[in-house]
Amino acid sequence: MSAVSLKTLCDTYTAHHAQSLADCEHIREAYMFAQQAHHGQKRASGEEYFTHVAQTALQLAQWRLDATSIIAGLLHDTIEDCAITPQIIKEKFGEEILFLIEGVTKLGKLQYKGKERGAESLRKMMLAVTHDLRVIFIKLSDRLHNMKTLSHLPVAKQRRIALETSEIYAPIASRLGMQNVSGELEDLAFPYTHPDQYLWIKKNLKESYEKRNQYVLQVRAIVEQKLKETNIHPITIDSRAKRVSSLYKKLVANDMDIERIYDLVALRIIVHTVEECYLVLGAIHSLWKPLPGKIKDYIALPKINGYQSLHTTVFCVDNKPTEFQIRTQEMHEQSEHGAAAHWFYEITKNTKSYAKNISQKAGEKDSSIVKQLQEWQNQFPGSQEFTDALKLDLFSDRIFTLTPRGEVIDLPIDATPVDFAYRIHTEIGDSCIGAKVNGKIVHLDYRLQSGDIVEILTQKNKKPSESWIHFVKTKYATRKVKNAIRKKTALPQKTEYKIICEARIGMVKDILSVLSRNRIPLISINTFENERFPMIKILVDISERKKAEQLFLKLRKVDGVREINLRMVE
Ligand code: MN
């Protein structure tokens, strides 16, 4: 495959952007620059390296991103893989482009090594350290092309990259509402993460492929006729085969029985208006009975990532359950391109200026990015404001730090190395004497930042300092420090004596008088009747061994005492 031509790239860009002559000139410069920079470099596939960055840029143009993103896409590997310095990029293409490229490079360094516990944190961290969604779009486009050419890499590398793609990048794309990208990444990763299952599915699906195709054509003809009668003119009706990766998930849930999967075939109907969506749904239900519980109105109640559509599964021709998805063109675009589509709609629309302050949103947690974007959409209608909004911290209440081994530890904002230490393990927190952040020694009250690599220095038998309570951020660490301090001052504080003695009148009185003569406070006294000799157990306020032994000798002299045990207790 030869590289995407400059013409194709610019044509794709201008198809969605007005007044873009100057932009095209900038894209041309970057195109030539990247071609020159990567000259002579080859991909593992044997292709010119430049094909990779050109393809990355084209994908960004297809997502309708701005010229800045496309240029950064062309240049994204020049600093990392060529002898180009950040300074040169800054001089030739400006600070914004450099910022995007460095963001992409930074993301590349956060690698997922397959630790279950880290996946969600790593996803969040990637979004948090990015500060500009365009960095994520470029990275997704880069990854998409890398996945398409993955077969040329060594097997171990294939597995790692495929795992990272399905655990980290596909979910990020999904969270950004880019369902199509997410699904494509999953599908590209699947043969590498599940090689045997992939072959099994391919074999078993192939046999039924022709039959299904016939069936779809039959259903489609009936639907077209019905819509014509109802005077609805859909933009498109198409059928799709289920993605291999999502099919596998369904198969697992259905005992690997392909006959039990209802929606091996789904038809998608795109119409002009929301009203038409509901009319089409009605028309389909008048043809075939719906399966109970399978009607989903994601138009009235969009999914958390912003997805909108009507879904229904009906007992269709020959009573075969078949799924229909009905949506408008705009909803379709949204589901294909997600946040990237939003980004585009946003910068091309311009109306009134925003009134509310974005900081009001800072307290909200766990709301999806797309939901946030939708809220911002109302608040930042002009292009610059919206771009600025995208640069805000998407997780303003959390920071994401790393252990030296690359495990992600997420903490509240302003957390310190002590919070970090206690998050890892109580013992690490208790024995913490110092910390290194990104290789440099810092004070224990240092405020950690997202992306910091934190190394805790410990010393055996060290106890926490009371002063820590004043600067630790998490309640967890505060409680742990208090516990440790209480232990430190409380150790060991009491002495217990078990006295075996004869059963004689005045025994207890004589023991107590030994205590009072020596001015030793009694904490408790208990007597136990045994078969032969009673036992008296006393607990006294003695915290020193030496003192405890002196009392021991005095108690031994009491008339009738046969045996004494002493024990220091906390
Ligand atoms: Mn790349």
Side-chain angles (χ1 to χ4, degrees):
M1 193 174 70
S2 62
V4 174
S5 74
L6 179 59
K7 184 171 184 308
T8 307
L9 187 56
C10 282
D11 286 352
T12 310
Y13 173 71
T14 41
H16 304 296
H17 294 81
Q19 304 163 338
S20 43
L21 263 178
D23 288 345
C24 276
E25 179 50 28
H26 290 138
I27 292 172
R28 195 186 70 82
E29 279 169 29
Y31 188 94
M32 305 312 253
F33 184 89
Q35 203 165 28
Q36 185 60 40
H38 290 292
H39 183 76
Q41 288 179 350
K42 294 266 195 276
R43 297 275 287 174
S45 63
E47 286 182 324
E48 291 294 321
Y49 196 95
F50 179 70
T51 55
H52 165 65
V53 296
Q55 197 60 47
T56 303
L58 179 65
Q59 181 68 77
L60 293 165
Q62 284 163 347
W63 288 341
R64 303 174 170 194
L65 290 167
D66 63 342
T68 310
S69 308
I70 293 167
I71 292 167
L74 283 167
L75 301 173
H76 82 269
D77 280 328
T78 53
I79 295 179
E80 192 73 351
D81 296 340
C82 311
I84 308 295
T85 62
Q87 192 57 33
I88 294 174
I89 296 290
K90 195 171 155 186
E91 276 163 21
K92 279 193 79 82
F93 299 99
E95 215 156 328
E96 195 176 5
I97 304 270
L98 177 63
F99 171 81
L100 294 178
I101 296 172
E102 288 189 322
V104 174
T105 308
K106 201 151 87 182
L107 284 191
K109 297 214 163 119
L110 298 173
Q111 290 188 351
Y112 180 62
K113 307 225 172 63
K115 279 185 207 145
E116 272 301 313
R117 175 180 157 196
E120 174 58 14
S121 292
L122 188 58
R123 291 192 284 263
K124 282 186 187 163
M125 173 161 178
M126 287 198 165
L127 293 168
V129 300
T130 298
H131 301 299
D132 188 326
L133 274 186
R134 288 176 298 177
V135 172
I136 298 276
F137 297 147
I138 297 165
K139 188 67 201 171
L140 288 173
S141 175
D142 170 60
R143 181 51 60 104
L144 211 44
H145 185 251
N146 283 338
M147 287 305 293
K148 284 175 186 164
T149 53
L150 195 62
S151 62
H152 303 284
L153 294 185
V155 173
K157 223 170 168 188
Q158 286 176 348
R159 288 209 58 130
R160 189 195 72 74
I161 294 174
L163 188 68
E164 183 179 76
T165 300
S166 77
E167 289 292 316
I168 307 296
Y169 288 104
I172 284 179
S174 169
R175 194 172 298 183
L176 291 170
M178 303 167 88
Q179 291 321 316
N180 216 31
V181 177
S182 176
E184 204 176 346
L185 287 171
E186 289 267 21
D187 255 14
L188 289 165
F190 189 75
Y192 301 99
T193 55
H194 299 76
D196 299 341
Q197 293 88 334
Y198 176 71
L199 290 178
W200 186 89
I201 287 173
K202 273 199 87 169
K203 181 172 159 281
N204 285 278
L205 273 187
K206 212 172 165 189
E207 289 156 11
S208 60
Y209 180 80
E210 263 312 304
K211 267 198 287 181
R212 272 185 292 137
N213 213 23
Q214 289 288 328
Y215 174 78
V216 169
L217 290 175
Q218 202 185 345
V219 172
R220 206 186 142 138
I222 298 169
V223 172
E224 271 172 351
Q225 180 60 33
K226 179 75 186 179
L227 293 184
K228 210 166 167 188
E229 286 165 21
T230 338
N231 212 11
I232 301 168
H233 305 284
I235 298 168
T236 54
I237 301 180
D238 55 25
S239 59
R240 68 186 172 99
K242 197 131 197 102
R243 289 190 178 279
V244 177
S245 50
S246 60
L247 182 62
Y248 176 68
K249 280 178 203 152
K250 284 216 166 173
L251 278 167
V252 169
N254 286 281
D255 304 324
M256 300 308 276
D257 184 355
I258 249 171
E259 300 296 319
R260 277 165 65 181
I261 311 271
Y262 291 152
D263 45 2
L264 274 181
V265 186
L267 281 93
R268 182 185 290 150
I269 304 172
I270 314 279
V271 291
H272 294 93
T273 65
V274 171
E275 289 70 32
E276 280 179 344
C277 291
Y278 290 100
L279 287 174
V280 171
L281 183 74
I284 288 165
H285 287 173
S286 75
L287 284 167
W288 299 292
K289 257 200 173 64
L291 264 77
K294 293 293 239 174
I295 307 169
K296 303 272 162 61
D297 185 349
Y298 295 121
I299 292 179
L301 297 165
K303 283 193 189 177
I304 190 108
N305 63 17
Y307 176 82
Q308 285 191 297
S309 196
L310 297 177
H311 291 190
T312 185
T313 303
V314 297
F315 293 105
C316 201
V317 175
D318 297 336
N319 245 359
K320 275 189 198 156
T322 303
E323 191 193 40
F324 288 84
Q325 298 182 352
I326 310 151
R327 58 178 88 138
T328 66
Q329 184 67 33
E330 194 185 334
M331 291 171 195
H332 186 56
E333 294 263 340
Q334 162 73 29
S335 84
E336 299 283 293
H337 302 313
H342 260 287
W343 205 95
F344 171 73
Y345 285 132
E346 211 35 62
I347 60 173
T348 51
K349 208 170 70 180
N350 60 95
T351 38
K352 58 199 181 274
S353 66
Y354 69 94
K356 282 181 212 157
N357 193 325
I358 192 74
S359 67
Q360 289 177 341
K361 299 279 163 229
E364 279 180 25
K365 222 179 144 184
D366 286 341
S367 62
S368 80
I369 289 165
V370 172
K371 203 172 128 214
Q372 281 196 16
L373 288 179
Q374 281 163 349
E375 280 158 7
W376 293 349
Q377 189 173 10
N378 302 325
Q379 295 182 13
F380 296 90
S383 73
Q384 191 54 47
E385 286 90 342
F386 189 70
T387 309
D388 289 346
L390 284 179
K391 289 174 186 166
L392 289 182
D393 217 348
L394 292 167
F395 297 91
S396 49
D397 54 346
R398 302 297 286 177
I399 56 164
F400 300 86
T401 55
L402 293 161
T403 66
R405 277 198 247 149
E407 217 179 325
V408 178
I409 305 291
D410 72 305
L411 293 163
I413 214 157
D414 280 344
T416 65
V418 175
D419 294 291
F420 181 97
Y422 277 109
R423 178 59 64 81
I424 293 175
H425 200 280
T426 304
E427 259 173 50
I428 307 260
D430 283 347
S431 58
C432 168
I433 52 158
K436 277 186 185 174
V437 169
N438 305 323
K440 283 184 195 136
I441 297 270
V442 296
H443 289 293
L444 285 178
D445 61 355
Y446 175 85
R447 303 288 162 188
L448 297 170
Q449 310 276 316
S450 268
D452 279 350
I453 298 169
V454 187
E455 189 185 340
I456 299 298
L457 310 172
T458 58
Q459 191 184 308
K460 262 199 172 166
N461 302 322
K462 184 81 177 55
K463 292 290 165 205
S465 152
E466 206 164 346
S467 67
W468 292 2
I469 291 168
H470 304 299
F471 63 73
V472 291
K473 181 72 184 174
T474 55
K475 287 202 179 75
Y476 182 76
T478 309
R479 201 173 64 232
K480 289 285 176 183
V481 174
K482 280 183 179 163
N483 277 349
I485 290 168
R486 202 175 305 139
K487 264 190 198 165
K488 183 165 91 176
T489 53
L491 260 181
Q493 20 167 232
K494 296 160 205 156
T495 308
E496 184 191 67
Y497 298 85
K498 279 180 193 164
I499 306 161
I500 312 280
C501 53
E502 289 168 17
R504 70 161 175 88
I505 294 169
M507 187 82 227
V508 171
K509 189 172 156 259
D510 288 350
I511 286 172
L512 289 179
S513 63
V514 173
L515 295 184
S516 63
R517 264 205 310 277
N518 292 282
R519 298 204 174 102
I520 289 163
L522 176 76
I523 295 166
S524 67
I525 178 162
N526 288 293
T527 57
F528 302 86
E529 298 297 334
N530 284 350
E531 264 175 71
R532 293 183 59 204
F533 299 108
M535 180 177 76
I536 301 170
K537 205 196 248 180
I538 57 171
L539 188 64
V540 298
D541 194 0
I542 291 177
S543 57
E544 290 166 55
R545 185 91 206 172
K546 209 175 152 196
K547 244 180 142 183
E549 279 166 4
Q550 284 168 357
L551 182 65
F552 175 87
L553 295 173
K554 285 173 181 151
L555 288 170
R556 275 231 59 157
K557 288 182 190 152
V558 174
D559 193 24
V561 168
R562 304 186 68 104
E563 193 184 327
I564 306 182
N565 276 310
L566 90 80
R567 191 164 71 101
M568 310 289 293
V569 294
E570 280 181 38

